[in-house]
Amino acid sequence: MEKKMFHECVDRIDVPEDDVVKAIQAGVRKGSRMKPKRRPLFKTAAVSAAAAALFISSGFMFPSMASVMAEIPILAKLYEHDKVAENLSSQQLITELNEKAAFAGIDVTVTEAYYDGAIIGVTFDVKGEVKGNEDEIYAFYEIFDRDHNIEETMELVKLVPDGDGYKGHIQLSSPRAELPAETTLPFNIIGIGEISDNWKDEQGKWNFDVPISQLPFETIALDQATELGQHKIAFEKLIKGTSSMAIEYTLSYPEGSQKVRFDLSDGNGKQLIGGTSDAKLEKKIENGTVTEKRRITIPFVPSSDFIEVRLELESGEELEPVRIGL
């Protein structure tokens, strides 16, 4: 989802809210269909906010819109697309919290959080006078206080019925280059219930500074690069967390030039899909050359010895592939 997706959907569709929900869900499903046909996973150069920082491990880059499955435990419902959380939960590495906020008869409690390398996850409970169809209850939230330097700061998450209330779970790639070992995540919920066009103009009602503890991770310096003409890519850092990993790189290209497409595969030639995201950390333009510092985040750790990165321009010209050892 692009940063303005919610705003655009609500402004553009002058139909009842049910149709708005369906339109947004259709976009979600469309974005999730990433077929392994050597189609590029990422488009970077000259793309404004297409590579969002938010994602889940099911192939689309934003929070979970998981279907309600009454026959499996509630945590399985929440984590069915979040393999990082599923793995960390099995190892009892997710921090349990009890951060509460109340507004207009609805109580929200942040119950769990994790920070594994470059990935952050948060789970919360909702109880009280929630209005709407039980199967179509959403929370609309913002992170990092709508920081304009971050590509994605506002999103929707579908809530899962749980007893007399609901549960919600989000997962995001940390959009900042560095976070301290002990930090807090500004997390504000603007609306809960049926999607309302008023949410876009409102401020947070359930506001949190979620304490996040960094799990152990390893940082490996990289010194690998590839280029084609004026398009240059330098891979600088590999971050290996307990259940996830990230690759930081710098991309430079002429202003207004072709986009660069990425394709990742493991040492066995298997394409790496399922929640992989590409986030912009910094951007500057000097003398007609754009330089971006970016991070590819992978919500799992491949079992192979290396990752192969294949790159091509829109014209079909390919850059020399790069192998990154794990």
Side-chain angles (χ1 to χ4, degrees), residues 48-62:
S48 57
L54 298 174
F55 68 93
I56 65 169
S57 305
S58 65
F60 43 94
M61 294 180 262
F62 31 81

Side-chain angles (χ1 to χ4, degrees), residues 108-125:
V108 177
T109 304
V110 175
T111 57
E112 296 178 331
Y114 69 84
Y115 176 22
D116 179 46
I119 293 181
I120 295 172
V122 176
T123 300
F124 58 95
D125 289 340

Side-chain angles (χ1 to χ4, degrees), residues 145-198:
D145 300 320
R146 305 187 193 184
D147 187 337
H148 295 299
N149 296 316
I150 298 174
E151 288 186 319
E152 187 63 62
T153 59
M154 303 177 72
E155 261 296 355
L156 287 167
V157 58
K158 186 173 182 179
L159 305 183
V160 177
D162 176 38
D164 60 350
Y166 300 86
K167 281 187 178 290
H169 173 68
I170 68 170
Q171 183 197 62
L172 59 118
S173 171
S174 171
R176 291 178 173 158
E178 300 290 343
L179 284 180
E182 302 292 330
T183 189
T184 59
L185 170 70
F187 172 58
N188 306 320
I189 297 178
I190 298 167
I192 297 174
E194 293 181 327
I195 297 173
S196 168
D197 61 355
N198 294 326

Side-chain angles (χ1 to χ4, degrees), residues 139-320:
F140 179 49
Y141 67 90
E142 64 180 20
I143 57 169
F144 293 107
D145 300 320
R146 305 187 193 184
D147 187 337
H148 295 299
N149 296 316
I150 298 174
E151 288 186 319
E152 187 63 62
T153 59
M154 303 177 72
E155 261 296 355
L156 287 167
V157 58
K158 186 173 182 179
L159 305 183
V160 177
D162 176 38
D164 60 350
Y166 300 86
K167 281 187 178 290
H169 173 68
I170 68 170
Q171 183 197 62
L172 59 118
S173 171
S174 171
R176 291 178 173 158
E178 300 290 343
L179 284 180
E182 302 292 330
T183 189
T184 59
L185 170 70
F187 172 58
N188 306 320
I189 297 178
I190 298 167
I192 297 174
E194 293 181 327
I195 297 173
S196 168
D197 61 355
N198 294 326
W199 288 354
K200 63 180 181 178
D201 301 316
E202 296 177 2
Q203 300 298 310
K205 302 178 181 66
W206 300 267
N207 302 322
F208 302 91
D209 282 311
V210 181
I212 303 289
S213 297
Q214 170 72 71
L215 294 172
F217 68 97
E218 179 183 8
T219 300
I220 302 169
L222 302 175
D223 185 19
Q224 294 168 270
T226 185
E227 62 183 83
L228 179 62
Q230 293 179 286
H231 288 78
K232 301 178 181 180
I233 301 175
F235 296 92
E236 297 156 345
K237 184 189 299 183
L238 173 67
I239 301 170
K240 291 182 66 175
T242 304
S243 299
S244 64
M245 60 185 296
I247 301 168
E248 293 190 1
Y249 68 96
T250 297
L251 168 67
S252 63
Y253 55 92
E255 195 172 7
S257 67
Q258 298 182 60
K259 300 169 186 175
V260 176
R261 298 186 172 116
F262 281 68
D263 182 274
L264 302 182
S265 59
D266 63 18
N268 301 313
K270 181 180 179 181
Q271 195 174 29
L272 299 182
I273 58 175
T276 309
S277 89
D278 183 15
K280 181 175 64 183
L281 305 177
E282 299 174 8
K283 179 179 179 179
K284 63 180 181 180
I285 303 175
E286 292 182 358
N287 301 320
T289 297
V290 181
T291 301
E292 297 183 8
K293 184 176 179 63
R294 306 187 67 95
R295 178 192 289 130
I296 297 172
T297 306
I298 304 170
F300 51 88
V301 178
S303 58
S304 59
D305 295 331
F306 65 87
I307 289 176
E308 183 172 84
V309 186
R310 302 177 64 89
L311 313 99
E312 67 174 35
L313 303 182
E314 283 185 304
S315 62
E317 295 177 280
E318 295 187 2
L319 288 76
E320 188 70 24

